[in-house]
Amino acid sequence: MALGGLALLGAGCTSVATLPAEEGRYCHRTGRSYRPRSTCTTEPVPGPAVQADARRLGGVADRLTVYVIRQRWNDASGLLTLTAADRAAVELLPGSFARLRLPPGHYRLRLDSAGEAGALDIGGLAGEVRVLEVDSEVWAWRRSDRLREVRADTQLERVSRLPLVADVQ
């Protein structure tokens, strides 16, 4: 009995990501206190069919496809805004990823947060796939976010558990 109570108590103390079905938004809950904080996307997330397609990390013949993954052990809170050229801004929460399908060419991807902004120049041809990871350093006195390229084949298992929060065409 006491062991079961401790298991329930422990389960309530972890950071939990939820998807409120009534709103269709992705929310990430942070905190282990009696006042946890939730941060949610302002736009609805793509539907189940789009989510399943994006988790394969595939591309399309006429576009450069860029996946941006945000899931690191030291990055547990805050909303990051990702912009690419003149495209719409994408909101990234911890434990999520986004897909950008861009015309072939060169782009400057920029991450904006409450701390230092990070940027990365990428380029590609039609049909190519690039996978980027948000690499964050969070300290009491500052936050730093950077983008770095990773191999797509090493990220398949990782994105299978993450929600797609934005699909920019």
Side-chain angles (χ1 to χ4, degrees):
M1 178 77 169
L3 185 59
L6 287 176
L8 285 175
L9 180 62
C13 293
T14 59
S15 295
V16 178
T18 60
L19 178 64
E22 69 277 1
E23 297 175 5
R25 298 182 308 153
Y26 172 70
C27 295
H28 183 80
R29 179 178 162 179
T30 305
R32 298 182 180 194
S33 69
Y34 63 95
R35 281 192 292 175
R37 293 182 303 164
S38 288
T39 306
C40 300
T41 59
T42 58
E43 298 293 322
V45 297
V50 177
Q51 297 261 348
D53 179 54
R55 287 189 178 109
R56 289 192 286 273
L57 296 181
V60 291
D62 63 336
R63 298 277 191 184
L64 166 64
T65 305
V66 180
Y67 292 92
V68 182
I69 302 169
R70 183 178 177 194
Q71 184 197 28
R72 301 278 293 190
W73 66 271
N74 63 343
D75 181 16
S77 66
L79 184 71
L80 292 179
T81 304
L82 173 72
T83 54
D86 59 348
R87 303 286 179 207
V90 172
E91 297 172 331
L92 285 170
L93 292 171
S96 68
F97 76 109
R99 176 171 67 182
L100 307 170
R101 290 208 164 135
L102 307 167
H106 294 280
Y107 297 92
R108 181 170 197 81
L109 298 179
R110 183 177 169 81
L111 277 176
D112 293 312
S113 68
E116 296 177 19
L120 179 68
D121 292 321
I122 64 161
L125 303 172
E128 287 187 335
V129 175
R130 300 272 191 253
V131 179
L132 308 176
E133 177 183 50
V134 177
D135 187 8
S136 298
E137 288 183 10
V138 182
W139 300 94
W141 56 90
R142 78 175 174 100
R143 175 186 184 105
S144 172
D145 300 294
R146 291 177 298 282
L147 289 167
R148 65 182 183 101
E149 192 161 2
V150 293
R151 289 188 14 219
D153 59 344
T154 63
Q155 303 302 312
L156 284 170
E157 181 181 342
R158 196 168 166 203
V159 299
S160 69
R161 299 181 305 266
L162 301 177
L164 178 72
V165 294
D167 187 24
V168 177
Q169 299 292 325

